[in-house]
């Protein structure tokens, strides 16, 4: 497995910064082992690298104070949202200060007439949508986990709704960011479009805390659809299911969600969520629009699915039935973990052009079988993105090596298909070896931007770029 590499520590600077920050923040600065371990925790296989302290700011000015202190003493800063990222983003390879934004959880302004909202970074996706519900609005990006919106912007998250509503890069209008010297900047205004200078908003979205700390977000909103329907359809093979997806997208059917579960995943969902689905590859769909519109979309999809051998097709507008089905999809990680009790789940993702999707998913299944690995596959296949969850005995070195071979092979395969090594997990520590393979000399210019904005490399060091 790719292991997290430790970086040189600035022991004297860390000690001095903690002393100063303790005076400023009192009990809101914590150094207990339990808190530190939690903030170095990764939800995958990468080793835990704890920060030296965790501080809980309440507003932008306090974040600026923290950054200025750390800049003065040359101490690393690691932003922390909810800790649900999968590639070691919150690890502290050189130690330093974890800046936990959970207390920055205020919804500052809703501009219903403009379809936008201003929030602090600790606001979570579910919190925002609960707040907006009585105004007939919602924020569409759904990565599955109840992640913080600041973290979602930092990792350029997407999820089940991306096929219709795009990813975080498409839904962030403006950011407030604390830069490496503690300066507070705004990247844009609330206007829906702008040609004013460099697009600093897009630069910060997906920068994983390496260029600045996000302290406020202005986000696009959507109106809650008049009608929503869900459909499910089983297929004999993953290839048939993927080809039905390709045809659905090519026909321009405005699906809101289109998810794939392979045979292993369906078996797991049946057992965990008490469903009775045919244990063959499955597509889950959701349609948004008017009552007539969603009915027409569902009918068009059913016709396409039939061409590719789809069977046991079912459509529903019942909120209870829809929620049960999508909750099963959101619970897939825990469902798949029951396939092999005691195993560690290693989740990896890739994204390819939709014309290569069937080939890539099929090859991934064959490779896992050839390596003797259990690797259920699920995916946001409407945009060519899928995930393999390797269930590994971490005490078995030979099995870990086979898993490592699979992850490396899958990333290389996706890149060779004009795809990407990560559709939504981000680079962090885990995907760093593949970034240069994918982008080549572009990474040299990324490094130049990093050096210009963070010359002392204190912002989330050891992430994205190979040092």
């Amino acid at each position: 497995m790719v292991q997290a590499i430790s970086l040189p520590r600035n022991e004297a600077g860390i000690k001095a910064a903690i002393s100063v920050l303790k005076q400023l923040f009192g009990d809101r600065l914590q150094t207990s082992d339990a808190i530190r371990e939690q903030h170095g925790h990764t939800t995958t296989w990468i080793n835990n690298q704890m920060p030296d302290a965790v501080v809980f700011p309440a507003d932008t000015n306090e974040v600026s104070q923290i950054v200025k202190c750390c800049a003065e003493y040359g101490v690393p800063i690691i932003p922390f949202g909810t800790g649900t990222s999968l590639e070691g983003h919150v690890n502290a390879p050189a130690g330093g200060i974890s800046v936990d934004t959970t207390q920055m959880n205020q919804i500052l302004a809703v501009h219903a007439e403009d379809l936008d909202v201003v929030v602090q970074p600790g606001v979570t996706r579910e919190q925002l949508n609960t707040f907006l519900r009585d105004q007939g609005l919602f924020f569409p990006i759904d990565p599955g986990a109840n992640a913080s919106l600041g973290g979602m912007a930092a990792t350029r998250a997407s999820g089940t709704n991306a096929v219709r509503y795009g990813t975080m890069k498409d839904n962030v209008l403006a950011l407030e960011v604390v830069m490496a010297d503690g300066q507070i900047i705004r990247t844009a205004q609330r206007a829906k479009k702008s040609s004013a200078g460099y697009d600093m908003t897009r630069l910060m979205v997906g920068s994983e805390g390496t260029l600045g700390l996000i302290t406020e977000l202005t986000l696009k909103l959507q109106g809650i659809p008049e009608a929503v329907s869900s459909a499910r359809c089983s297929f004999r093979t993953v290839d048939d299911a993927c080809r039905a997806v390709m045809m659905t997208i090519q026909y321009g059917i405005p699906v809101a969600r289109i998810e794939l579960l392979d045979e292993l995943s369906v078996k797991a969902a049946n057992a965990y969520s008490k469903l009775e689905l045919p244990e063959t590859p499955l597509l889950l769909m959701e349609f948004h629009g008017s009552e007539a519109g969603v009915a027409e979309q569902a009918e068009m999809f059913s016709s396409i699915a039939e061409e590719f051998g789809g069977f046991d097709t079912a459509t529903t507008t019942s909120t209870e039935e829809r929620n049960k089905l999508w909750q099963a999809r959101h619970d897939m990680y825990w469902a798949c973990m029951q396939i092999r009790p005691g195993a560690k789940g290693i989740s990896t993702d890739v994204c390819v052009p939709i014309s290569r999707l069937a080939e890539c998913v099929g090859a991934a299944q064959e490779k896992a079988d050839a390596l003797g690995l259990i690797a259920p596959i699920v995916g946001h296949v409407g945009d060519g993105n899928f995930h393999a969850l390797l269930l590994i005995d971490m005490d078995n070195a030979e099995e870990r090596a086979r898993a490592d071979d699979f992850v490396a092979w899958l990333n290389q395969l996706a890149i060779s298909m004009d795809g990407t090594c990560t559709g939504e997990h981000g680079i962090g520590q885990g995907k760093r070896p593949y970034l240069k393979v994918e982008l080549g000399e572009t990474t040299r210019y990324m490094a130049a931007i990093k050096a210009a904005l963070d010359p002392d490399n204190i912002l989330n060091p050891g992430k994205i770029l190979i040092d």
Side-chain angles (χ1 to χ4, degrees):
M1 290 295 177
V2 175
Q3 295 299 319
I5 298 171
S6 295
L7 300 176
R9 289 174 54 87
N10 175 6
E11 299 288 357
I14 291 170
K15 183 177 180 181
I18 290 175
S19 176
V20 171
L21 292 172
K22 186 67 175 176
Q23 294 179 47
L24 291 172
F25 289 92
D27 290 343
R28 287 190 290 142
L29 183 136
Q30 297 288 323
T31 56
S32 70
D33 287 348
I35 292 290
R36 291 167 54 225
E37 184 177 4
Q38 175 191 350
H39 285 76
H41 174 67
T42 61
T43 49
T44 182
W45 48 269
I46 299 172
N47 291 343
N48 190 317
Q49 294 175 307
M50 300 188 297
D52 293 278
V54 181
V55 63
F56 297 83
D59 58 36
T60 300
N61 287 329
E62 289 190 342
V63 174
S64 178
Q65 283 183 301
I66 296 165
V67 174
K68 286 177 179 177
C69 175
C70 290
E72 180 179 352
Y73 294 104
V75 174
I77 304 162
I78 305 93
F80 187 95
T82 58
T84 57
S85 56
L86 291 164
E87 297 294 344
H89 297 86
V90 298
N91 264 346
I97 307 299
S98 175
V99 179
D100 185 313
T101 60
T102 53
Q103 293 187 14
M104 297 178 66
N105 62 353
Q106 300 300 307
I107 297 168
L108 301 175
V110 177
H111 305 107
E113 64 279 12
D114 294 322
L115 293 177
D116 71 57
V117 63
V118 182
V119 300
Q120 290 185 310
V123 174
T124 66
R125 173 184 63 85
E126 291 180 5
Q127 175 191 351
L128 177 59
N129 279 329
T130 298
F131 183 87
L132 293 171
R133 190 174 298 146
D134 64 356
Q135 301 187 53
L137 301 170
F138 78 112
F139 181 69
I141 308 305
D142 177 7
N146 186 25
S148 68
L149 293 163
M152 288 169 61
T155 55
R156 201 185 306 145
S158 53
T160 59
N161 283 325
V163 63
R164 174 159 182 167
Y165 298 105
T167 71
M168 284 299 286
K169 74 176 176 62
D170 305 301
N171 288 276
V172 177
L173 290 171
L175 296 169
E176 180 182 78
V177 182
V178 176
M179 305 301 285
D181 59 358
Q183 179 67 50
I184 302 167
I185 69 165
R186 289 197 64 83
T187 62
Q189 305 283 27
R190 288 198 301 116
K192 286 296 190 288
K193 63 179 182 179
S194 172
S195 297
Y198 298 137
D199 193 340
M200 293 293 288
T201 305
R202 299 296 171 275
L203 179 62
M204 293 298 168
V205 172
S207 64
E208 302 181 10
T210 64
L211 301 180
L213 277 69
I214 295 170
T215 55
E216 188 179 289
L217 305 92
T218 303
L219 304 171
K220 292 181 184 178
L221 299 177
Q222 301 287 333
I224 294 175
E226 173 191 334
V228 177
S229 73
S230 290
R232 60 172 175 83
C233 183
S234 297
F235 293 83
R236 302 298 176 191
T237 68
V238 164
D239 185 74
D240 289 339
C242 289
R243 294 188 186 283
V245 171
M246 290 167 56
M247 187 67 71
T248 299
I249 299 301
Q250 289 167 359
Y251 271 37
I253 300 174
V255 291
R257 309 190 203 191
I258 181 166
E259 298 286 300
L260 169 72
L261 282 66
D262 73 353
E263 304 95 312
L264 270 177
S265 299
V266 175
K267 289 179 182 178
N270 278 344
Y272 187 83
S273 300
K274 307 298 187 290
L275 302 176
E276 296 181 353
L277 301 168
E279 293 184 346
T280 63
L282 175 75
L283 289 181
L284 300 178
M285 316 279 292
E286 188 166 276
F287 309 101
H288 294 177
S290 66
E291 291 187 9
V294 298
E296 181 183 18
Q297 292 166 34
E299 184 177 348
M300 291 174 66
F301 167 72
S302 295
S303 297
I304 291 171
E306 188 175 346
E307 287 185 40
F308 294 94
F311 65 97
D312 198 43
T313 302
T315 303
T316 181
T317 57
S318 163
T319 301
E320 183 179 354
E321 290 179 15
R322 286 193 295 105
N323 287 345
K324 183 178 181 180
L325 206 56
W326 287 108
Q327 187 60 50
R329 169 62 185 91
H330 283 321
D331 288 342
M332 280 311 307
Y333 175 84
W334 305 110
C336 289
M337 293 301 292
Q338 302 304 308
I339 296 174
R340 189 180 184 186
K344 177 73 173 179
I346 301 172
S347 181
T348 190
D349 85 311
V350 295
C351 188
V352 296
I354 198 166
S355 62
R356 307 298 300 272
L357 178 63
E359 180 185 357
C360 194
V361 173
Q365 288 188 309
E366 291 175 5
K367 185 69 171 181
D369 287 343
L371 291 172
L373 298 172
I374 301 173
I377 289 175
V378 299
H380 317 309
V381 288
D383 44 23
N385 181 206
F386 69 91
H387 308 256
L389 181 65
L390 305 174
L391 302 175
I392 303 300
D393 176 2
M394 296 301 286
D395 294 327
N396 186 324
E398 189 272 336
E399 189 173 329
R400 293 201 313 269
R402 282 186 277 129
D404 194 37
D405 288 345
F406 176 86
V407 171
W409 170 86
L410 183 59
N411 284 308
Q412 298 276 4
L413 176 66
I415 292 167
S416 74
M417 292 180 167
D418 287 333
T420 175
C421 65
T422 177
E424 60 186 20
H425 285 189
I427 297 296
Q429 294 173 314
K431 299 263 187 180
R432 290 198 307 164
Y434 313 109
L435 184 62
K436 189 166 185 178
V437 177
E438 180 175 328
L439 296 178
E441 286 303 301
T442 301
T443 59
R444 184 159 63 91
Y445 295 93
M446 290 183 176
I449 293 170
K450 168 70 169 171
L453 297 184
D454 181 20
D456 296 323
N457 194 26
I458 63 170
L459 297 180
N460 217 7
K463 316 297 166 59
I464 302 183
L465 299 167
I466 300 293
D467 295 313

